[in-house]
Amino acid sequence: MVDWSGGNDRGAQPKADAIWAGVVQDGTAQEPIYFRNRQVFTSWVFDFLDAALAADRKVMVGFDFPFGYPVGFGRHVTGSDDPFVLWEWFADRVEDSPKANNRFDIAGQINGTLPGMGPYWGNGLKRDIAHLPRKGLARDPNPFPERREIETLAKGSFTCWQLAGAGSVGSQIIMGLPVLHKLRMAFAGQIAIWPFEPLTKPIACMEIWPTLFAGPAPDGMIKDAHQVIATAKALHARQLTPDHADVAISAPVEGWILGIGQPKLDPMGLIPPPLRNDCFAMPQGAYWTPVDTALAHLQANLQAATGVESVSVGDGLGRVLAGPAIALRAHPPAANAAVDGYALKGPIAKGAHEVPLCDGRAAAGVPFDGTVPDGHALRILTGADIPAGTDTVILQEDITTNGAAIAFHGPLKKGANARAAGEDMKKGEVVFPGKHQVTLRDIATLAAVGVGKINVRKQLRVGVLSTGDEIVAPGKIARRGQIYDANRPMLLGAIRSWGHAAVDLGIAPDDRDTIRDMLDAAAQECDVILTSGGASAGEEDHVSALLENTGSFALWRIAMKPGRPLALGLWNKKPVFGLPGNPVAACVCALIFARPALSVMAGGHWLTPLGYTLPAAFSKAKKEGRREYLRARLTPEGTVEVFPSEGSGRVSSLSWATGLVELPDEAIHVSEGTPVRFLPFDAFGF
Ligand code: AMP
Ligand code: MG
């Protein structure tokens, strides 16, 4: 693990802000190695890799500087989005010796090819460099993103535009890419650069961020030296394998920092183990498990099962954020007018006023350049930046004008009809935390603060299998003794509306070998499998019987109505939820148990439906000992009525109802007007 530096020779004595490398080999951490300059380092790393390959070792090499620039930059400079083309471009131009290099000149030259000032800034030299401002504030708006996507997740990281000052990444990347290019050329065919290439070569080279893995340095130890060893140890302990390429973020232009947004490399060191065979085992004793106990058990034992990818914000509906979404800009970015009218300085006292107009106007997208003199007003339109010298807007309907002045009555508060900069969202604020499921409204919120791409979990692939010799797909001819498959189309639709990828596994006959084959195939294709039917303990309940043989099976007898036992197990490590066959029971069990469980597996929160307490329009006496879910709907009076028949064979009752009434585990006597809990189907996303 290498802590990089973009500076000049640091001398013979080990010191901070130089290049440091930490090596862990065969589980043993070596002393951190100090390099006074890049030339010494480069010859060392070539020797190190040569020796490793000669000894048939695998090596993971990490560098703590960006492997790519924010999207658009490479294309501007080289005409290509390919980061390796950009590496070569820098390799061709960077001149590096222990005493001097041309990084500031190169940055100035690139700036010179762009209109405006920037985006590079910071000059560590005494002489001025054309097009390279010394201060970041001297820049015009950056034509490229200020940060890479990954840096919006890595709080506290520097941008690649800053060339001077402590920790400035801008110099490190310019001086680093040529070295990476050399490595890539010298070890061609034996080195893979993550995340641009699959990790299928003996040398894996990737960007790291030691802050993720290393705590504070022990007293008396140089921070850089501590960090490289701590990072090497932490990554070594995580048993990185080429499999991790599977969870690599698709960041083909900008690159990515290893360990951020990757479930298997949680920066806190909490790598979720695969589900254990006994994860569904319930404490023995109680024959009937209360609903809440069953839910708590699921919540405690399930975990995210999907990798991470980056999608356009407009494609984000229903996707689960893999990390916090950060505002890239304030909203509104500047104070602006909420109405059409005239901008002036507030507050305005009570009484009649006449205020001269100044020339020009402020419109949305066309800000007023000058300053409005004291005692003057300026024509302004909705959405326009509030001009300098003013802070308040008077509504055009409230004034009269002759073209030279406006007349109106006060009072008017300072700031009236103006929106303050950042009053809605501040730049850098967490707009949504990780695990949040993106709604259509959220898409507008994220877009408003400039978020074009979001890092989300890959969609959970949920397979749905119906079982039973009697089941036939709707649209087919049903022979005597057959019934139509009501569950599969309903469950597939529910899965889609919950934001997952639905995988139709078809109908399995009551034949153990066939179901086994279907489950084998399903476990390849899906992250989790829902079955309906065949989940009890009868002789035709083959799903239960098969799961029983895996040693992971649990049949939860849940104290609820409707609902027969819920069968749970792992098939080739993939969770299987065996729902009851009866469509009403399958529906209720899916809403109560499968929905929150799938949400957690998709990387989201455990979900609890939000209900309302409303007066009952029915009466019912219920004994103690089980929870009941009644198909129910709102009446025009705002009370809740229930379907006249409680028979769970009545599929049409699901259409009649708009939700469920949840009656508690305890005994209850409901009569008209008794408050009951109503859970609308909407609250289940159903
Ligand atoms: P099982 O759990 O297999 O004993 O099935 C319980 C009841 O649900 C039986 O009456 C089945 O015929 C019925 N059933 C099972 N699967 C479905 C399905 N996919 N669609 C409609 N009814 C079903
Ligand atoms: Mg059956």
Side-chain angles (χ1 to χ4, degrees):
M1 295 299 115
V2 183
D3 188 323
W4 194 242
S5 161
N8 293 337
D9 188 278
R10 297 283 290 148
Q13 273 306 313
K15 38 179 99 53
D17 299 325
I19 298 175
W20 285 87
V23 177
V24 173
Q25 192 165 304
D26 301 326
T28 309
Q30 302 176 1
E31 277 298 303
I33 313 171
Y34 169 77
F35 301 94
R36 57 186 298 174
N37 60 46
R38 279 177 298 281
Q39 287 67 28
V40 187
F41 168 80
T42 308
S43 73
W44 174 83
V45 78
F46 272 68
D47 289 347
F48 180 89
L49 294 175
D50 276 336
L53 291 177
D56 238 354
R57 288 177 175 281
K58 288 188 172 173
V59 190
M60 176 186 163
V61 198
F63 291 92
D64 72 334
F65 63 86
F67 283 18
Y69 272 89
V71 71
F73 175 80
R75 171 166 294 231
H76 169 77
V77 172
T78 69
S80 162
D81 278 330
D82 184 342
F84 297 141
V85 174
L86 190 63
W87 290 16
E88 187 173 5
W89 189 93
F90 278 107
D92 287 347
R93 285 160 183 82
V94 169
E95 293 159 15
D96 195 8
S97 78
K99 294 275 172 243
N101 63 66
N102 62 347
R103 65 188 194 271
F104 298 110
D105 300 281
I106 287 185
Q109 283 158 21
I110 295 174
N111 276 357
T113 65
L114 289 157
M117 187 54 100
Y120 282 113
W121 65 277
N123 179 354
L125 305 179
K126 289 220 174 65
R127 68 180 161 94
D128 283 335
I129 289 181
H131 307 293
L132 185 64
R134 290 190 182 267
K135 294 228 169 356
L137 286 174
R139 296 182 303 164
D140 290 316
N142 193 336
F144 312 113
E146 186 69 2
R147 288 175 175 277
R148 295 182 297 156
E149 190 68 27
I150 178 61
E151 282 148 6
T152 65
L153 294 178
K155 269 262 157 163
S157 54
F158 288 81
T159 75
C160 59
W161 310 117
Q162 182 184 346
L163 293 171
S168 55
V169 168
S171 287
Q172 296 187 13
I173 180 170
I174 295 180
M175 301 315 297
L177 295 185
V179 176
L180 291 181
H181 177 73
K182 264 195 212 164
L183 280 176
R184 187 165 169 268
M185 292 297 117
F187 294 95
Q190 297 182 290
I191 188 167
I193 314 284
W194 182 89
F196 309 132
E197 298 173 324
L199 294 181
T200 52
K201 300 281 159 29
I203 306 171
C205 180
M206 49 206 27
E207 178 184 345
I208 49 145
W209 192 33
T211 305
L212 269 187
F213 299 103
D219 275 350
M221 187 167 179
I222 293 173
K223 185 175 153 211
D224 310 344
H226 161 71
Q227 288 202 334
V228 289
I229 285 297
T231 304
K233 279 188 189 163
L235 287 171
H236 190 274
R238 280 170 176 74
Q239 295 292 332
L240 270 174
T241 70
D243 277 357
H244 286 98
D246 295 346
V247 294
I249 322 294
S250 60
V253 179
E254 299 186 333
W256 199 263
I257 295 172
L258 183 74
I260 295 186
Q262 285 165 291
K264 290 184 187 166
L265 270 176
D266 190 290
M268 307 311 287
L270 304 169
I271 325 155
L275 289 180
R276 290 159 46 116
N277 242 9
D278 60 357
C279 65
F280 296 125
M282 276 282 203
Q284 294 297 304
Y287 183 67
W288 291 101
T289 305
V291 173
D292 288 338
T293 308
L295 289 175
H297 196 87
L298 280 181
Q299 185 174 4
N301 285 279
L302 292 173
Q303 64 198 20
T306 61
V308 181
E309 64 186 355
S310 172
V311 299
S312 293
V313 72
D315 296 328
L317 177 64
R319 305 301 297 273
V320 175
L321 293 180
I326 312 276
L328 302 181
R329 197 185 196 206
H331 185 260
N336 70 27
V339 297
D340 292 341
Y342 294 83
L344 32 65
K345 186 176 273 173
I348 306 286
K350 218 170 135 189
H353 298 270
E354 190 179 319
V355 177
L357 284 174
C358 57
D359 276 348
R361 61 164 209 172
V366 194
F368 180 70
D369 273 338
T371 300
V372 177
D374 252 3
H376 284 64
L378 181 79
R379 175 71 173 144
I380 192 165
L381 300 174
T382 306
D385 286 2
I386 300 288
T390 71
D391 50 27
T392 304
V393 178
I394 182 155
L395 204 63
Q396 74 182 21
E397 287 81 355
D398 291 347
I399 61 108
T400 51
T401 180
N402 57 6
I406 55 173
F408 57 89
H409 286 283
L412 200 59
K413 277 195 206 131
K414 180 183 162 96
N417 299 315
R419 310 172 180 130
E423 72 175 18
D424 186 21
M425 289 174 275
K426 308 257 180 297
K427 181 175 175 177
E429 137 181 350
V430 173
V431 185
F432 300 107
K435 296 195 181 186
H436 176 80
Q437 191 175 25
V438 176
T439 67
L440 285 173
R441 290 100 60 206
D442 300 340
I443 289 175
T445 304
L446 289 165
V449 287
V451 176
K453 291 203 131 205
I454 47 178
N455 292 308
V456 295
R457 292 283 180 171
K458 287 192 176 145
Q459 275 187 311
L460 188 73
R461 292 160 304 169
V462 185
V464 177
L465 180 72
S466 290
T467 71
D469 280 338
E470 77 280 27
I471 309 298
V472 56
K476 294 243 165 89
I477 307 275
R479 289 191 309 275
R480 206 164 80 91
Q482 289 191 312
I483 61 164
Y484 284 114
D485 184 358
N487 294 343
R488 197 164 40 106
M490 168 184 69
L491 293 171
L492 288 168
I495 285 158
R496 279 184 214 108
S497 76
W498 294 335
H500 313 304
V503 181
D504 188 348
L505 302 175
I507 301 170
D510 284 323
D511 174 72
R512 209 158 291 185
D513 290 334
T514 310
I515 300 183
R516 183 185 295 115
D517 289 348
M518 291 176 92
L519 287 177
D520 280 345
Q524 296 262 331
E525 206 185 335
C526 309
D527 302 307
V528 49
I529 301 161
L530 302 187
T531 68
S532 71
S536 297
E539 66 258 38
E540 294 294 349
D541 288 318
H542 304 285
V543 175
S544 304
L546 283 166
L547 286 176
E548 188 120 46
N549 287 335
T550 67
S552 64
F553 179 66
L555 198 63
W556 291 6
R557 290 165 208 285
I558 299 170
M560 82 181 238
K561 181 186 171 188
R564 294 233 305 262
L566 196 60
L568 295 147
L570 298 177
W571 191 267
N572 296 343
K573 302 217 169 86
K574 303 294 172 68
V576 180
F577 284 74
L579 301 171
N582 179 299
V584 173
C587 170
V588 174
C589 284
L591 299 187
I592 304 295
F593 295 104
R595 175 175 171 263
L598 295 180
S599 173
V600 168
M601 295 191 66
H605 292 290
W606 179 261
L607 300 175
T608 307
L610 280 182
Y612 306 92
T613 300
L614 294 169
F618 62 94
S619 49
K620 176 182 166 71
K622 181 195 145 305
K623 287 207 285 277
E624 181 186 353
R626 72 174 179 203
R627 190 166 299 184
E628 292 195 13
Y629 292 95
L630 311 175
R631 283 138 280 160
R633 69 181 183 192
L634 292 178
T635 67
E637 293 74 43
T639 59
V640 193
E641 59 179 338
V642 295
F643 193 67
S645 156
E646 281 187 24
S648 64
R650 303 285 292 269
V651 185
S652 68
S653 63
L654 292 172
S655 296
W656 176 94
T658 58
L660 300 171
V661 157
E662 183 184 59
L663 296 180
D665 298 354
E666 299 78 43
I668 181 174
H669 190 96
V670 180
S671 51
E672 286 198 16
T674 305
V676 291
R677 195 161 127 82
F678 177 68
L679 306 170
F681 285 134
D682 282 348
F684 294 103
F686 184 76

